[in-house]
Amino acid sequence: MTTLVCPAPAKLNLFLHVVGRREDGYHLLQTLFRLIDYGDTLHLSLREDGRIVRQQPLAGVAEADDLCVRAAQLLKAEAGSVPGVNIRLEKCLPMGGGLGGGSSDAASVLLGLNRLWSLGLSRSRLQELALKLGADVPFFVFGQTALAEGVGETLQAMTLEPAWYVVLTPAVSVSTQAIFAHPDLTRDSEIIKIADFSEASLFGVRNDLQAVVCRDYPEVARHLDWLGQHGRARMSGSGACVFAAFDTAETAQDVLAKIPRNMRGFVAAGLDKHPLYDYADEDGVAQS
């Protein structure tokens, strides 16, 4: 095997509560992550010279800051003597959209190179490496619907009913750092006990970042208001993308067909597992 095509699916935060703040400034969260079948695509191909090469620029992102490149470098440092790789990214997910695009890309590089370089690293070890790249990256390596706590790295697998999501993509890029630093952000939401969690409890939850984002980004509020006429609309992550869940693909497509001409969006199904889930194994042996 010398090449791999690796999907990098988006995620939705079905809720996001800020439950505290550590002394180092990092926020403590509780959130429910769900993968969806819409995202970026990575093309990985082996090089004989050991170099890690980004094959095209990513707008606004220097190569040294590119999470795909950093993920490959991190894995190469972990593995030692391995071939190089060309990395080509087909970018579909909006940047600053709250869908986890950069984090998902990084995780797919880790999972893809674990297979392409025949490393056989366990999922738990890949998650440890992923945390060095960002708080959301371990979830994508974990690769299942998950209740996340801490800064996002403590993950508990959850099972949800099938759902189809209408996702709207406002043409704004939200700064996650600025939103978490906002003086009006709620930081003391009550923690949901895992033993008490059920799908029905999603009706009593929210995204604590949403009110602040809507105040500073009117386009996000406008998209939420429109989608809210058709379902229980909520923002994902720190925005800007918003979504609502529906029981059937047909219902979701009908809603999407009604969006105003100055809005953009897509329909995606919830995924129970990451497409590259089998590229790592808890026993430390990559599955075939």
Side-chain angles (χ1 to χ4, degrees), residues 94-128:
M95 299 176 69
L99 300 180
S103 296
S104 184
D105 296 340
S108 287
V109 168
L110 292 176
L111 289 164
L113 289 180
N114 194 43
R115 170 63 64 87
L116 194 62
W117 285 344
S118 301
L119 301 180
L121 293 179
S122 69
R123 190 179 318 282
S124 57
R125 180 54 184 154
L126 289 174
Q127 286 178 227
E128 291 172 357

Side-chain angles (χ1 to χ4, degrees), residues 78-92:
E78 169 79 5
S81 180
V82 291
V85 65
N86 291 320
I87 302 173
R88 180 167 65 86
L89 173 64
E90 292 180 37
K91 193 68 183 167
C92 181

Side-chain angles (χ1 to χ4, degrees), residues 23-68:
E23 291 184 1
D24 60 8
Y26 280 92
H27 288 80
L28 298 172
L29 309 175
Q30 191 172 46
T31 188
L32 183 62
F33 285 123
R34 189 168 205 186
L35 296 166
I36 56 175
D37 65 349
Y38 183 92
D40 298 337
T41 303
L42 283 144
H43 299 262
L44 307 176
S45 57
L46 292 179
R47 297 178 60 95
E48 295 182 357
D49 59 7
R51 295 174 59 213
I52 294 167
V53 176
R54 182 173 76 163
Q55 291 195 300
Q56 79 286 322
L58 183 60
V61 180
E63 184 165 355
D65 298 325
D66 190 316
L67 281 174
C68 293

Side-chain angles (χ1 to χ4, degrees), residues 8-270:
K11 57 83 177 170
L12 297 175
N13 296 85
L14 301 190
F15 75 87
L16 195 164
H17 293 175
V18 183
V19 300
R21 196 174 191 176
R22 300 193 316 199
E23 291 184 1
D24 60 8
Y26 280 92
H27 288 80
L28 298 172
L29 309 175
Q30 191 172 46
T31 188
L32 183 62
F33 285 123
R34 189 168 205 186
L35 296 166
I36 56 175
D37 65 349
Y38 183 92
D40 298 337
T41 303
L42 283 144
H43 299 262
L44 307 176
S45 57
L46 292 179
R47 297 178 60 95
E48 295 182 357
D49 59 7
R51 295 174 59 213
I52 294 167
V53 176
R54 182 173 76 163
Q55 291 195 300
Q56 79 286 322
L58 183 60
V61 180
E63 184 165 355
D65 298 325
D66 190 316
L67 281 174
C68 293
V69 174
R70 290 176 56 201
Q73 292 171 337
L74 184 64
L75 198 59
K76 185 176 175 67
E78 169 79 5
S81 180
V82 291
V85 65
N86 291 320
I87 302 173
R88 180 167 65 86
L89 173 64
E90 292 180 37
K91 193 68 183 167
C92 181
L93 297 174
M95 299 176 69
L99 300 180
S103 296
S104 184
D105 296 340
S108 287
V109 168
L110 292 176
L111 289 164
L113 289 180
N114 194 43
R115 170 63 64 87
L116 194 62
W117 285 344
S118 301
L119 301 180
L121 293 179
S122 69
R123 190 179 318 282
S124 57
R125 180 54 184 154
L126 289 174
Q127 286 178 227
E128 291 172 357
L129 294 173
L131 187 57
K132 299 179 181 181
L133 299 167
D136 285 353
V137 186
F139 159 69
F140 289 100
V141 174
F142 185 73
Q144 302 178 68
T145 303
L147 186 66
E149 298 181 293
V151 297
E153 83 288 1
T154 303
L155 300 161
Q156 173 71 42
M158 293 286 168
T159 301
L160 298 179
E161 293 294 324
W164 287 261
Y165 300 92
V166 174
V167 183
L168 301 185
T169 57
V172 295
S173 180
V174 176
S175 167
T176 299
Q177 184 176 0
I179 295 304
F180 273 107
H182 201 288
D184 294 335
L185 178 64
T186 298
R187 297 180 172 87
D188 59 354
S189 286
E190 185 176 353
I191 296 174
I192 300 173
K193 295 180 181 178
I194 293 178
D196 296 336
F197 180 83
S198 69
E199 199 153 358
S201 67
L202 290 176
F203 287 94
V205 295
R206 64 197 169 276
N207 184 331
D208 284 338
L209 310 182
Q210 185 171 301
V212 173
V213 172
C214 286
R215 197 175 311 154
D216 289 356
Y217 298 87
E219 273 296 285
V220 176
R222 185 172 74 89
H223 283 67
L224 273 168
D225 288 344
W226 184 88
L227 190 56
Q229 298 173 40
H230 303 277
R232 296 183 66 252
R234 187 170 294 152
M235 189 179 75
S236 182
S238 57
C241 294
V242 304
F243 68 93
F246 299 91
D247 292 335
T248 69
E250 292 76 14
T251 304
Q253 290 289 355
D254 287 345
V255 171
L256 183 67
K258 298 173 184 176
I259 64 172
R261 291 185 178 182
N262 60 356
M263 290 186 183
R264 297 289 181 270
F266 59 88
V267 169

